[in-house]
Amino acid sequence: MADEQQHKQLHLNAFLMGVGHHEAAWRHPRTRAQSVLDVRHFQALGQIAERGRLDSVFFADGLAVGPRIARNTLAVFEPITLLSAIAAVTERIGLIATASTTYNDPYTLARKFASLDHISGGRAGWNIVTSAGVDEAANYGLDVRPEHEKRYARASEFVDVAVKLWQSWESGSVLLDEDLGVFADPKKVHAIHHEGAHFRVRGPLNSPRSPQGRPLLVQAGSSEAGKEFAARFAEAVFTAQQSLEDGIDFYTDLKRRLPRYGRRAEGLKVLPGVVPFIGGTEAEARALESEFTELISPDYALRQLSTMLGIDLTEHALDAPLPPLPPIHAIEGNKSRYQLVKDLAEKDSLTVRELIGRLGGGRGHRTFAGTPEQLADELQLWFEAGAADGFNIMPPYLPGGLEDFVTEVVPLLQKRGIFREEYEGLTLRDHYRLEPVDGGSDGQEWQAAQ
Amino acid sequence: MADEQQHKQLHLNAFLMGVGHHEAAWRHPRTRAQSVLDVRHFQALGQIAERGRLDSVFFADGLAVGPRIARNTLAVFEPITLLSAIAAVTERIGLIATASTTYNDPYTLARKFASLDHISGGRAGWNIVTSAGVDEAANYGLDVRPEHEKRYARASEFVDVAVKLWQSWESGSVLLDEDLGVFADPKKVHAIHHEGAHFRVRGPLNSPRSPQGRPLLVQAGSSEAGKEFAARFAEAVFTAQQSLEDGIDFYTDLKRRLPRYGRRAEGLKVLPGVVPFIGGTEAEARALESEFTELISPDYALRQLSTMLGIDLTEHALDAPLPPLPPIHAIEGNKSRYQLVKDLAEKDSLTVRELIGRLGGGRGHRTFAGTPEQLADELQLWFEAGAADGFNIMPPYLPGGLEDFVTEVVPLLQKRGIFREEYEGLTLRDHYRLEPVDGGSDGQEWQAAQ
Ligand SMILES: Cc1cc2nc3c(=O)[nH]c(=O)nc-3n(C[C@H](O)[C@H](O)[C@H](O)COP(=O)(O)O)c2cc1C
Ligand SMILES: Cc1cc2nc3c(=O)[nH]c(=O)nc-3n(C[C@H](O)[C@H](O)[C@H](O)COP(=O)(O)O)c2cc1C
């Protein structure tokens, strides 16, 4: 291993959404709105990220359209299906799909991820979410969204079951012995006989052990329950942090929880989000950001903000401050984002219009406008100050915003010796420098033997 | 349109399973057993089928491993994920995935198929199954498999809901009007407010109308309830028929049921299965078939047969006839296959060993051994006698069995003017010469505009 690879390296995930994270991205001339319906757009993004040697690409997901259909570019593609099509045109980039533990069955979902891991040769990751939205319940026969705490309780049991299913085929269980006529060794394939409060699942999984043993487990909730869940299961955490100080607090808090679950700090990578507007000069970058801010439709943004805060702001004056907000314990949706937006508005005494502008880029994720050097400085600062093991890069417009990051910022990080020049391993788990899941991997052996 | 395209054309689906349908295929030197774990094997099969201008490829699926793990090549990949990876390396071939109405949620599954249809540019099909296996229930919290009739009742409501969800975005609803800032026209995107015995689903679907409007609906059950279900929903039907006579009866019966649902005979294509052993001479083909039969492990085959008949034969003498069988009304699993196997054994007074040999190739589907000319004759005979609108081609070994069919049999069918020389349209629905689903397709328009 070369010397610079011994240095602590940061990790980069590209969070891809439609034609960009900025809510008005699809109206800006740097994007083609039609691309949201075109799989080739997303396949090309996967290839750009791989060219930049990023760890992974990631797709969010929600299970309802919501009331903002007129202005929302939304999710056309279901992430696992989409990532399978991206797997087919890439070789190394990790592939992280969001899926809900509230509205899925563990057997079905564990199989899907095993399948994606087989298809991609060990590049699958699962962003585990509990579906905080209010509209999702009604698509699954429920009158109201299950409570925050109950969602996380179900999520824990769900992941337990999924992990047992992925382990239900020991490594080495697939024999493919043509002479003896033995496909798999029945002694190494186990029923799991899970019986819990939420699920009864016999197993084994209907798919042999996948190349990574199981997908990378990713989590993105930052409430108390969310952090505890992350400490127990997550190998990477996406989080929204507005300031370096908040970033350090969150990072420290999360890492401190790990020993209680018998886990080491290196086993969980914290990746705060950043929405980069990149320009040749800082002024150019800021001007670009303003172009996007001006394209925001206030009525759409007001509805978005209303959903985020759980109160109706659609009739509220744009140039007034926020009305009084409910206390955090009354929030059953996305608790951590609620807190972040509340703090942001209060700290700088923002009017609603100003708040909307601040949130336009990343819905609460930090927006950064500057030169490639400035952005590299900022990322290095957070990384070395103990606020991040890497970043969730959220290009405000696509593909340009990712292309610029890869061609202008990545080489700077490489020159500074804090980001890989080449992939070191084959799997997503390798990219994140995580221990392999116990034992080898049947799939990979067969692939390697080709 | 050229003259020969006016002729009635037959349709060909390639039913792909592991390294072939013959249960001992993976032990034969014409296959490489490891391919069952390799996505590239399946991608190559999709490309071979497309080279042969076949209508579609199809993958079966089950939601449990079952007790025969030692001898079973089983499903490694979940079909929708797998077909998405095949979509990425093909352009025209239709992509049919099996999915269960008994162990899925309609909202989730409708979205998956919409996603596959978007990804493939309108090539998705759904083989609707009710999961007849006994082992699946225990992976989904149930003690026993729901009864045959109840499964079909749920299936009907499930498909109703899915169709409503696919229609919840009218065609033309996606505007992408950048100047007005209007992504979609809210007046053309509808909640469905479904409330039924099994499901409550508000909608709309979280994915815009897909290129085909909805996937091709395929069905493969042939019991009374299965046929009624097919008559109501199916646009293609896979079926196992041992003799031309049985084929004609089934075909006639099914087509007669259509007018009651306001449907025309052309709207449903009947595709009996055939397992072809192709050789330069008939003797060569038969010798090849024997090679495979000899590789069958009797203990595996006995378990397979026990499952099919719902009785335990594992201690039964191989050279004795079958013991008395339960009456058809007592069968809660695959009713039509039970009947077929029972009839086959009785008609020719087969011993268990002989029966196992007959079933080895296609689990009850018709096995055919002969020259390419003989196979083309046989297919043409069934097609012109009114037993088939096309065929479900089940290669006994892969990729060779598909390769031979495409290079040796397809050209004969083309020369006879009963199979296309080129694809006429873009979508799976086009290939099967079915009416487009009401209205145009947003996805396709955008793709065409590229
Ligand atoms: C970067 C990021 C991506 C997220 N993606 C999704 C998503 O795709 N679907 C979803 O339902 N929630 C998503 N969430 C929300 C979280 O999973 C979680 O529900 C939310 O943060 C509320 O959790 P908390 O109450 O623990 O803070 C995301 C959050 C972050 C920070
Ligand atoms: C060609 C063919 C393919 C089938 N594929 C599947 C499958 O993948 N999964 C499944 O559960 N059942 C599958 N079946 C079974 C049928 O869907 C159905 O459950 C079975 O025929 C019993 O239905 P019946 O009782 O109406 O005859 C298939 C049947 C045929 C003929």
Side-chain angles (χ1 to χ4, degrees):
Chain A
M1 206 183 273
D3 189 45
E4 73 272 17
Q5 291 180 342
Q6 304 288 3
H7 291 155
K8 208 178 146 214
Q9 301 274 304
L10 60 76
H11 300 278
L12 295 172
N13 172 70
F15 181 178
L16 304 175
M17 194 178 260
V19 291
H21 280 276
H22 195 282
E23 66 169 65
W26 64 283
R27 300 180 64 191
H28 193 279
R30 291 206 185 188
T31 64
R32 290 185 340 127
Q34 302 94 301
S35 300
V36 301
L37 289 163
D38 190 343
V39 69
R40 291 165 295 186
H41 166 70
F42 296 99
Q43 290 176 317
L45 294 174
Q47 291 168 328
I48 294 168
E50 183 163 277
R51 182 148 40 78
R53 305 295 181 252
L54 268 50
D55 295 68
S56 45
V57 296
F58 158 63
F59 290 93
D61 199 38
L63 303 174
V65 167
R68 299 179 302 280
I69 192 116
R71 298 275 140 69
N72 197 339
T73 53
L74 68 101
V76 173
F77 300 96
E78 183 281 325
I80 301 179
T81 339
L82 179 56
L83 287 168
S84 191
I86 295 176
V89 300
T90 56
E91 291 181 357
R92 294 295 189 89
I93 189 80
L95 309 164
I96 303 174
T98 295
S100 168
T101 55
T102 302
Y103 304 113
N104 276 298
D105 272 303
Y107 197 86
T108 307
L109 199 64
R111 168 87 175 308
K112 294 258 177 202
F113 277 107
S115 189
L116 182 62
D117 207 44
H118 278 293
I119 285 169
S120 62
R123 299 189 277 141
W126 173 21
N127 177 39
I128 307 163
V129 303
T130 66
S131 301
V134 282
D135 296 307
E136 301 173 278
N139 291 328
Y140 291 88
L142 299 179
D143 290 320
V144 290
R145 165 186 61 189
E147 287 159 31
H148 193 266
E149 204 176 315
K150 294 207 173 129
R151 294 201 308 274
Y152 273 111
R154 180 181 159 110
S156 289
E157 190 183 332
F158 194 116
V159 179
D160 271 340
V161 176
V163 169
K164 287 190 217 173
L165 286 170
W166 290 316
Q167 291 173 345
S168 62
W169 291 65
E170 288 181 36
S171 67
S173 49
V174 175
L175 300 176
L176 294 175
D177 187 323
E178 300 177 21
D179 298 329
L180 291 177
V182 178
F183 178 81
D185 181 350
K187 288 193 291 300
K188 293 190 169 173
V189 182
H190 310 285
I192 68 166
H193 296 297
H194 175 89
E195 310 245 347
H198 303 84
F199 307 108
R200 283 169 57 217
V201 181
R202 186 165 69 191
L205 190 62
N206 55 343
S207 179
R209 191 180 190 80
S210 75
Q212 289 188 110
R214 61 160 195 250
L216 183 81
L217 299 181
V218 183
Q219 198 269 356
S222 301
S223 64
E224 184 56 31
K227 283 187 283 198
E228 217 40 38
F229 182 89
R232 185 160 162 217
F233 295 112
E235 297 165 310
V237 165
F238 299 145
T239 181
Q241 302 296 334
Q242 283 284 333
S243 69
L244 178 60
E245 201 176 38
D246 288 349
I248 293 171
D249 285 351
F250 178 81
Y251 185 98
T252 314
D253 176 3
L254 203 50
K255 298 269 175 160
R256 270 206 201 116
R257 294 170 194 249
L258 294 172
R260 245 184 296 143
Y261 297 96
R263 302 183 60 199
R264 298 187 315 142
E266 298 74 40
L268 183 157
K269 312 295 179 189
V270 177
L271 310 174
V274 56
V275 181
F277 284 95
I278 302 169
T281 63
E282 187 177 329
E284 266 175 44
R286 291 200 182 284
L288 182 64
E289 184 182 1
S290 297
E291 282 177 29
F292 280 81
T293 308
E294 276 154 32
L295 288 172
I296 293 177
S297 355
D299 70 323
Y300 169 73
L302 274 179
R303 285 192 204 224
Q304 174 102 332
L305 187 58
S306 303
T307 305
M308 228 178 223
L309 297 176
I311 53 169
D312 185 1
L313 290 169
T314 50
E315 304 294 317
H316 195 77
L318 276 168
D319 294 305
L322 281 176
L325 296 179
I328 180 92
H329 64 77
I331 299 299
E332 290 296 338
N334 185 330
K335 276 195 195 279
S336 50
R337 200 66 58 85
Y338 169 84
Q339 190 68 52
L340 182 150
V341 172
K342 186 164 184 268
D343 291 350
L344 187 68
E346 284 170 5
K347 192 171 109 285
D348 296 348
S349 311
L350 302 179
T351 64
V352 170
R353 191 189 300 278
E354 288 163 340
L355 183 59
I356 283 171
R358 293 272 195 103
L359 296 174
R363 301 173 309 283
H365 286 272
R366 189 166 56 114
T367 299
F368 180 89
T371 64
E373 283 285 351
Q374 287 174 316
L375 180 54
D377 288 349
E378 186 77 2
L379 298 184
Q380 187 166 9
L381 175 68
W382 279 55
F383 179 55
E384 291 176 351
D389 296 308
F391 298 91
N392 193 19
I393 304 298
M394 301 168 56
Y397 56 96
L398 288 167
L402 182 64
E403 186 74 52
D404 289 353
F405 183 85
V406 158
T407 52
E408 295 175 23
V409 182
V410 166
L412 299 176
L413 300 172
Q414 289 170 329
K415 215 179 292 165
R416 297 173 188 196
I418 53 173
F419 190 65
R420 71 176 68 85
E421 311 238 349
E422 277 307 330
Y423 290 112
E424 294 161 26
L426 293 173
T427 70
L428 175 55
R429 200 169 288 280
D430 291 338
H431 303 343
Y432 279 102
R433 292 191 168 184
L434 294 163
E435 303 284 316
V437 170
D438 62 274
S441 103
D442 293 336
Q444 222 175 346
E445 279 156 35
W446 294 120
Q447 302 228 339
Q450 303 267 323
Chain B
M1 204 182 272
D3 187 44
E4 73 274 16
Q5 290 180 344
Q6 303 287 3
H7 291 156
K8 208 177 147 215
Q9 301 274 302
L10 59 77
H11 300 279
L12 294 171
N13 172 70
F15 181 178
L16 305 174
M17 194 178 260
V19 290
H21 280 275
H22 195 281
E23 67 168 66
W26 64 283
R27 300 180 65 192
H28 194 278
R30 291 206 184 186
T31 65
R32 287 183 347 124
Q34 301 95 301
S35 299
V36 301
L37 289 162
D38 189 344
V39 68
R40 290 165 296 185
H41 166 69
F42 296 99
Q43 290 176 317
L45 293 175
Q47 291 168 329
I48 294 169
E50 184 163 277
R51 182 148 39 78
R53 306 295 181 250
L54 267 51
D55 294 68
S56 45
V57 296
F58 158 63
F59 290 94
D61 199 37
L63 302 173
V65 166
R68 298 178 303 281
I69 192 110
R71 298 275 140 69
N72 197 338
T73 54
L74 69 101
V76 173
F77 300 97
E78 183 281 324
I80 300 179
T81 337
L82 179 56
L83 287 168
S84 191
I86 295 176
V89 299
T90 55
E91 292 181 356
R92 295 297 188 87
I93 188 82
L95 308 163
I96 302 174
T98 295
S100 168
T101 54
T102 302
Y103 304 113
N104 276 298
D105 272 303
Y107 197 85
T108 306
L109 200 63
R111 168 88 177 306
K112 294 258 175 200
F113 277 106
S115 189
L116 182 61
D117 206 44
H118 279 294
I119 285 169
S120 62
R123 298 188 278 141
W126 174 20
N127 177 39
I128 308 163
V129 303
T130 66
S131 300
V134 282
D135 297 307
E136 302 174 276
N139 292 328
Y140 291 87
L142 299 181
D143 290 320
V144 291
R145 163 187 61 189
E147 288 159 29
H148 192 266
E149 204 176 316
K150 293 207 173 130
R151 292 202 309 274
Y152 272 110
R154 180 182 159 110
S156 290
E157 190 181 333
F158 194 115
V159 179
D160 270 340
V161 175
V163 169
K164 286 191 217 174
L165 286 169
W166 289 317
Q167 291 173 344
S168 63
W169 292 64
E170 287 180 36
S171 66
S173 49
V174 175
L175 300 176
L176 294 174
D177 187 323
E178 300 176 20
D179 297 330
L180 292 176
V182 178
F183 177 81
D185 181 350
K187 288 194 290 301
K188 293 189 170 175
V189 182
H190 310 285
I192 68 165
H193 296 297
H194 176 88
E195 310 245 346
H198 303 83
F199 307 108
R200 284 170 54 218
V201 181
R202 186 165 69 194
L205 191 61
N206 56 343
S207 180
R209 190 180 190 81
S210 75
Q212 290 187 109
R214 62 161 194 251
L216 182 81
L217 300 181
V218 182
Q219 200 268 358
S222 301
S223 64
E224 182 56 33
K227 284 187 281 197
E228 216 40 36
F229 182 89
R232 183 157 164 218
F233 294 112
E235 297 165 311
V237 166
F238 298 144
T239 183
Q241 303 297 333
Q242 283 283 334
S243 68
L244 178 60
E245 200 175 39
D246 288 348
I248 293 170
D249 285 351
F250 178 80
Y251 185 98
T252 313
D253 175 4
L254 204 51
K255 299 269 174 160
R256 269 205 201 115
R257 292 170 195 250
L258 294 171
R260 246 183 295 143
Y261 297 97
R263 302 183 61 199
R264 297 188 314 141
E266 298 74 42
L268 184 157
K269 312 294 180 190
V270 177
L271 309 173
V274 57
V275 182
F277 284 94
I278 302 170
T281 62
E282 187 178 330
E284 266 175 45
R286 293 204 180 281
L288 183 64
E289 183 182 3
S290 298
E291 282 177 30
F292 281 80
T293 308
E294 275 154 32
L295 288 171
I296 295 177
S297 353
D299 69 323
Y300 169 73
L302 274 180
R303 285 190 205 227
Q304 174 102 332
L305 186 60
S306 302
T307 306
M308 229 179 221
L309 298 177
I311 53 168
D312 186 359
L313 291 170
T314 50
E315 305 294 317
H316 195 78
L318 276 168
D319 294 304
L322 280 175
L325 296 177
I328 181 94
H329 65 79
I331 300 300
E332 290 296 339
N334 185 330
K335 275 194 197 278
S336 49
R337 199 64 58 88
Y338 169 82
Q339 191 68 54
L340 182 150
V341 173
K342 187 165 183 269
D343 292 350
L344 188 67
E346 285 170 6
K347 192 169 108 294
D348 297 349
S349 312
L350 302 178
T351 65
V352 170
R353 191 189 301 277
E354 288 163 340
L355 183 59
I356 284 171
R358 293 272 195 103
L359 295 174
R363 302 174 307 283
H365 286 272
R366 188 166 55 115
T367 299
F368 180 91
T371 64
E373 283 284 352
Q374 286 174 316
L375 180 54
D377 288 348
E378 186 77 2
L379 299 183
Q380 186 166 8
L381 175 69
W382 279 53
F383 178 54
E384 292 177 350
D389 296 308
F391 299 91
N392 193 19
I393 304 299
M394 302 169 57
Y397 56 97
L398 289 166
L402 182 63
E403 187 74 53
D404 288 353
F405 184 84
V406 158
T407 51
E408 296 176 23
V409 182
V410 166
L412 299 177
L413 300 172
Q414 290 170 329
K415 215 179 294 167
R416 298 176 188 195
I418 54 174
F419 190 64
R420 72 174 68 83
E421 310 238 351
E422 277 307 330
Y423 290 111
E424 295 162 25
L426 293 172
T427 70
L428 176 54
R429 201 170 287 282
D430 291 338
H431 303 343
Y432 279 101
R433 292 193 169 182
L434 294 162
E435 303 284 316
V437 171
D438 62 276
S441 104
D442 292 338
Q444 223 177 343
E445 279 156 35
W446 295 119
Q447 301 228 341
Q450 301 270 323

